[in-house]
Amino acid sequence: MNKDEILRTHGEAIELFGTRVHAVRDDQWDAPTPCTQWSVRDLVNHLTVEQLWVPRLVRDGATVADVGADFDGDRLGEDPAAVWDRAAVAAVAAFSEPGALDRTVHLSYGTSGAAAYCTQMMADAVVHAWDLSRAVGAEERLPGHLATAALREVEPYAAELGGSGLFAEPVEPPAGADDLTRLLCLLGRRP
């Protein structure tokens, strides 16, 4: 993808996840998700914290050590949707600054181009939008172009993810599966 496509798909994925956050009812925050270790609140907190990191890494050039424990724990407080909204807006703004995608960022696994980081964040938001949809009974069909972009992002390193312990083992997709189903199966989900 070129830089305009990266920013567009990232923004759409963040917006998609945000619509799911706003669909969470008060009685659903402790509900389980397809991410077996996480409740709905844990999942939303995870994505929110990821967004909180973006300005520090992309705009400020901070390292993981510089940020330290600043975003550890539950960051959602009493109004999770509002906290998500603020974090999402700040992340999209940081990636959208002139020249931001040309920068280098220091991630937990090493240095990376900011454009690659943005694309990874897009894919994560797409997959977790499906997880959150399933958990709260929202629409599980996601925009096809986002599923395709996320699949293209994840396919080259999917085997490494399975061995990381952070994802379930891949599931064989049904014959003729669409890109969303293939993406989810690749990451151990059972659509």
Side-chain angles (χ1 to χ4, degrees):
M1 289 189 285
N2 67 41
K3 291 175 187 169
D4 290 339
E5 292 169 327
I6 290 170
L7 291 174
R8 180 179 45 77
T9 57
H10 173 261
E12 289 175 3
I14 295 300
E15 182 178 342
L16 174 68
F17 187 81
T19 64
R20 297 318 192 258
V21 171
H22 284 274
V24 178
R25 295 187 319 261
D26 288 342
D27 64 340
Q28 292 179 312
W29 288 102
D30 292 325
T33 70
C35 304
T36 56
Q37 303 288 325
W38 288 341
S39 67
V40 167
R41 186 177 185 92
D42 295 332
L43 176 63
V44 173
N45 187 67
H46 165 70
L47 260 288
T48 300
V49 167
E50 282 194 343
Q51 306 321 303
L52 292 171
W53 277 85
V54 172
R56 297 286 304 276
L57 298 177
V58 175
R59 180 181 303 133
D60 303 341
T63 66
V64 172
D66 293 336
V67 177
D70 289 359
F71 303 125
D72 285 0
D74 186 326
R75 309 301 296 177
L76 297 180
E78 296 297 316
D79 191 352
V83 174
W84 159 260
D85 289 342
R86 287 190 298 275
V89 166
V92 169
F95 277 128
S96 299
E97 288 179 357
L101 294 185
D102 296 320
R103 297 178 188 145
T104 298
V105 292
H106 307 282
L107 306 173
S108 60
Y109 57 84
T111 57
S112 174
Y117 176 44
C118 187
T119 306
Q120 292 166 10
M121 295 287 282
M122 172 276 299
D124 202 42
V126 170
V127 171
H128 287 317
W130 181 85
D131 292 332
L132 189 53
S133 297
R134 168 120 336 156
V136 302
E139 176 59 57
E140 291 181 20
R141 285 177 294 158
L142 305 180
H145 70 285
L146 289 180
T148 299
L151 178 63
R152 286 186 184 143
E153 167 59 27
V154 171
E155 276 179 320
Y157 53 82
E160 297 167 25
L161 296 176
S164 71
L166 300 174
F167 294 86
E169 290 299 314
V171 175
E172 185 66 32
D178 64 11
D179 285 349
L180 178 61
T181 302
R182 290 176 49 220
L183 172 68
L184 296 171
C185 289
L186 191 61
L187 297 175
R189 271 83 170 162
R190 298 184 181 278

